[in-house]
Amino acid sequence: MIFGIGTDVCDVRRIRATLERHGDRFARRVLSDAELAVWRRRGARWPERGLRYLATRFSAKEAFSKAVGLGMRMPMTWRLCEIANLPSGQPVIVLHGALKDWFEAQGLRAHVTVTDETDYAASFVVVERKMTQ
């Protein structure tokens, strides 16, 4: 059963401006430790790719927070929600700490997709309640 659907469209130019204004501090606030390492590797090789990575993660976390109906309030925090990739490249949501505990207690499962174009990053999250037998 569908629990919630969240969407977000993020202007990559705004993420760029925020990053220029606040530097790594912004990325450290939004990204988990694992995401931060990926962002640094991608940004070192190709700064634009690193920027888009940050924008898609920001967007996906916003969409997830909407899908679960919490917004950005406890137990939802930027760093407790990680957008990882399977070996195939498929994005997946990996939760940590209190957010993971709350999500599992609700019996929920999430599906995420992200995309980025020149000026925008978009994401869609569908959260469903696992059916008990």
Side-chain angles (χ1 to χ4, degrees):
M1 172 193 322
I2 299 294
F3 181 84
I5 299 172
T7 64
D8 189 75
V9 178
C10 173
D11 189 331
V12 175
R13 296 165 296 191
R14 290 185 69 199
I15 297 295
R16 181 190 325 273
T18 302
L19 197 54
E20 288 170 356
R21 212 170 32 253
H22 300 288
D24 281 8
R25 194 171 112 221
F26 173 68
R28 287 193 317 266
R29 182 175 176 172
V30 171
L31 301 175
S32 70
D33 290 339
E35 291 169 320
L36 198 56
V38 172
W39 174 72
R40 286 185 173 135
R41 279 194 313 271
R42 289 185 182 188
R45 285 190 315 213
W46 186 18
E48 191 65 24
R49 189 167 178 224
L51 174 67
R52 289 184 182 160
Y53 178 85
L54 178 57
T56 57
R57 272 43 193 180
F58 181 90
S59 176
K61 293 174 186 200
E62 283 284 331
F64 177 78
S65 73
K66 294 171 186 175
V68 295
L70 292 174
M72 281 299 168
R73 55 192 169 94
M74 289 303 285
M76 177 67 200
T77 69
W78 294 107
R79 293 181 48 81
L80 294 181
C81 178
E82 178 180 336
I83 312 303
N85 291 91
L86 297 177
S88 66
Q90 175 185 348
V92 292
I93 294 177
V94 179
L95 303 176
H96 304 281
L99 181 58
K100 179 181 180 180
D101 296 341
W102 175 85
F103 194 77
E104 289 175 353
Q106 301 293 317
L108 302 175
R109 178 173 44 197
H111 308 276
V112 61
T113 185
V114 297
T115 187
D116 64 272
E117 299 301 326
T118 304
D119 292 331
Y120 297 97
S123 59
F124 305 89
V125 175
V126 176
V127 174
E128 62 182 335
R129 189 175 304 276
K130 296 176 192 172
M131 300 304 288
T132 56
Q133 307 224 1

